[in-house]
């Protein structure tokens, strides 16, 4: 645990250290874990050919009080263009779907296309454009307005793009080289999730992508992955990852994430480097190997010495020396772990 902490891996749970070397599947939350978690607004498409700039202040006003990465991207885009924001009223967040509230006394909703579909919002011509943006790997949300007594009317589509973390692809490849199946868990639509997965070197056709997963369903997904005796590790950084981290056999939290996630996990990666996941599994493997080797050395002297002592062939001085040598062998073998370094080559420098 000391040498692991030196390299940015804080092991808080001895059981996690023991189980990590048996992991068969590692499930990663996408945003902030495999990606930078800093999405930007890449496209705006207004309904009926209207100017998107007319609706962007409304969307940004609705999102002004949210800490969600997509919300921050909308607000940043509006501020960059110098557009005015208004204080929203009657705000209500719908977990995993979006937000609704009033801007200038008019009711609006902003959220995922899945939520719009659940509400029966007819996107009309916007549906084709949304599908096109999703095929290109964008995460797409929609702004809609509630009319008095009438249907909910779509006003604008918003497309967001995020970038993989440097080294994320190599980290996933390192896990696969260890015989471990990596899986990406995302709340994005399938098109966007699979596009990002391919950039990361994952294989959607082999079930390595779980898309359109609501925050409350992540723990159930981990339980499903554990079926059949599979040992599952979960890697996440957000509040909504905490139940899944606790449900997994081994929970690994990114140190640049929330306190709740770190509290729920048995192992904390002190830097937001996904390469440390393979390193954590490696130090677990080497630690358990040392335990087995030390058990051999602890018993070997006794197995050889007891019969000799029983037959009168073992001098007590030699027996005492053998006992001391047994302890030295165990300690010396354990201390060899101090030479361990992450195979990924991750540095001990903190995140900027």
């Amino acid at each position: 645990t000391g040498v692991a902490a030196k390299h940015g891996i804080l092991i808080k749970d001895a059981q996690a250290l023991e189980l990590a070397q048996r992991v068969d599947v590692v499930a990663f939350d996408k945003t902030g874990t495999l990606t930078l978690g800093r999405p930007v607004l890449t496209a705006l498409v207004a309904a009926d050919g209207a100017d998107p700039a007319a609706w962007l202040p409304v969307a940004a006003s609705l999102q002004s009080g949210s800490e969600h990465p997509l919300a921050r991207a909308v607000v940043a885009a509006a501020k960059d263009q110098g557009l005015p924001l208004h204080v929203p009223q009657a705000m209500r967040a719908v977990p995993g779907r979006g937000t609704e509230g009033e801007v200038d006394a008019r009711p609006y909703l902003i959220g995922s296309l899945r939520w719009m579909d659940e509400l029966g919002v007819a996107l009309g011509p916007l549906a084709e454009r949304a599908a096109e943006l999703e095929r290109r790997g964008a995460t797409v949300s929609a702004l809609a307005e509630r009319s008095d007594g009438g249907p909910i009317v779509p006003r604008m589509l918003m497309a967001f793009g995020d970038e993989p973390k440097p080294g994320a692809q190599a980290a996933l490849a390192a896990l696969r080289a260890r015989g471990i199946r990596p899986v990406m868990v995302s709340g994005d639509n399938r098109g966007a999730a699979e596009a990002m997965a391919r950039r990361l070197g994952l294989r959607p056709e082999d079930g390595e992508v779980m898309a359109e997963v609501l925050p409350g369903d992540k723990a159930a997904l981990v339980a499903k992955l554990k079926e059949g005796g599979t040992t599952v590790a979960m890697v996440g950084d957000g509040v909504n990852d905490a139940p899944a981290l606790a449900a997994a056999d081994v929970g690994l939290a990114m140190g640049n994430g929330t306190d709740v996630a770190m509290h729920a996990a048995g192992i904390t990666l002190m830097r937001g480097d996904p390469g440390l996941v393979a390193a954590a599994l490696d130090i677990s493997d080497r630690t358990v190997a040392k335990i087995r080797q030390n058990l051999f050395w602890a018993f070997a002297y006794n197995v050889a010495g007891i019969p000799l002592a029983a037959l009168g062939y073992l001098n007590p001085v030699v027996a005492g020396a053998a006992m001391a040598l047994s302890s030295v062998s165990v300690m010396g073998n354990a201390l060899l772990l101090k030479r361990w370094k992450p195979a990924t080559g991750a540095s001990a420098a903190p995140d900027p």
Side-chain angles (χ1 to χ4, degrees):
T1 59
V3 72
K6 178 181 177 182
H7 292 285
I9 303 166
L10 179 61
I11 300 169
K12 302 181 294 179
D13 184 348
Q15 185 179 14
L17 177 63
E18 182 179 353
L19 286 176
Q21 52 91 28
R22 292 166 40 193
V23 165
D24 304 303
V25 175
V26 177
F28 290 86
D29 177 62
K30 179 181 78 75
T31 304
T33 303
L34 290 176
T35 68
L36 294 173
R38 296 193 291 268
V40 295
L41 193 61
T42 58
L44 293 172
V45 183
D48 303 324
D51 182 5
W55 295 109
L56 183 55
V58 176
S61 298
L62 284 172
Q63 302 283 48
S64 59
S66 175
E67 292 298 319
H68 194 281
L70 298 185
R72 291 199 295 265
V74 174
V75 174
K79 289 182 177 179
D80 288 345
Q81 296 182 33
L83 300 174
L85 301 186
H86 306 277
V87 178
Q89 303 294 326
M91 295 296 296
R92 184 175 77 91
V94 182
R97 288 168 172 80
T99 304
E100 59 180 325
E102 295 181 1
V103 177
D104 289 339
R106 298 170 67 178
Y108 294 96
L109 307 94
I110 185 169
S112 67
L113 298 184
R114 177 176 180 172
W115 189 31
M116 298 297 155
D117 184 59
E118 291 174 355
L119 295 172
V121 179
L123 294 178
L126 291 178
E128 184 177 346
R129 187 62 194 279
E132 177 189 349
L133 291 168
E134 289 176 348
R135 285 193 297 269
R136 287 158 50 185
T139 299
V140 182
S141 297
L143 172 71
E145 182 177 0
R146 287 188 184 274
S147 58
D148 294 333
I152 301 173
V153 181
R155 296 301 186 190
M156 182 176 65
L157 295 178
M158 294 158 288
F160 303 87
D162 200 356
E163 290 297 316
K165 281 187 176 180
Q169 185 174 359
L172 296 173
L175 289 174
R176 191 175 280 114
R178 293 178 62 89
I180 297 170
R181 175 189 168 208
V183 174
M184 186 184 80
V185 180
S186 173
D188 289 346
N189 61 80
R190 181 154 295 277
E194 290 186 355
M196 177 57 71
R198 290 191 174 90
R199 293 181 65 185
L200 291 165
L202 293 172
R203 299 189 287 257
E205 62 275 10
D206 293 338
E208 294 182 353
V209 178
M210 305 292 180
E212 300 179 359
V213 179
L214 295 176
D217 295 338
K218 291 182 180 179
L221 176 61
V222 168
K224 184 177 180 180
L225 290 172
K226 289 170 65 176
E227 291 177 357
T230 302
T231 304
V232 177
M234 176 70 193
V235 187
D237 68 335
V239 172
N240 57 25
D241 296 325
L245 292 170
D249 295 296
V250 181
L252 297 101
M254 292 292 187
N256 58 349
T258 63
D259 291 342
V260 175
M262 287 186 279
H263 181 75
I267 298 175
T268 297
L269 309 179
M270 299 308 294
R271 303 186 304 279
D273 178 7
L276 288 177
V277 175
L281 303 187
D282 185 57
I283 189 63
S284 169
D285 188 43
R286 292 173 183 268
T287 300
V288 172
K290 288 295 181 186
I291 290 171
R292 290 171 178 156
Q293 293 166 13
N294 287 344
L295 283 172
F296 168 79
W297 288 115
F299 282 102
Y301 293 97
N302 291 286
V303 169
I306 289 173
L308 293 175
L311 295 173
Y313 295 134
L314 188 62
N315 187 295
V317 174
V318 176
M323 176 177 284
L325 187 58
S326 171
S327 298
V328 170
S329 299
V330 167
M331 287 298 298
N333 192 38
L335 288 171
L336 289 176
L337 275 175
K338 290 178 69 69
R339 301 187 302 177
W340 176 85
K341 292 181 180 180
T344 57
S347 69
D351 281 335

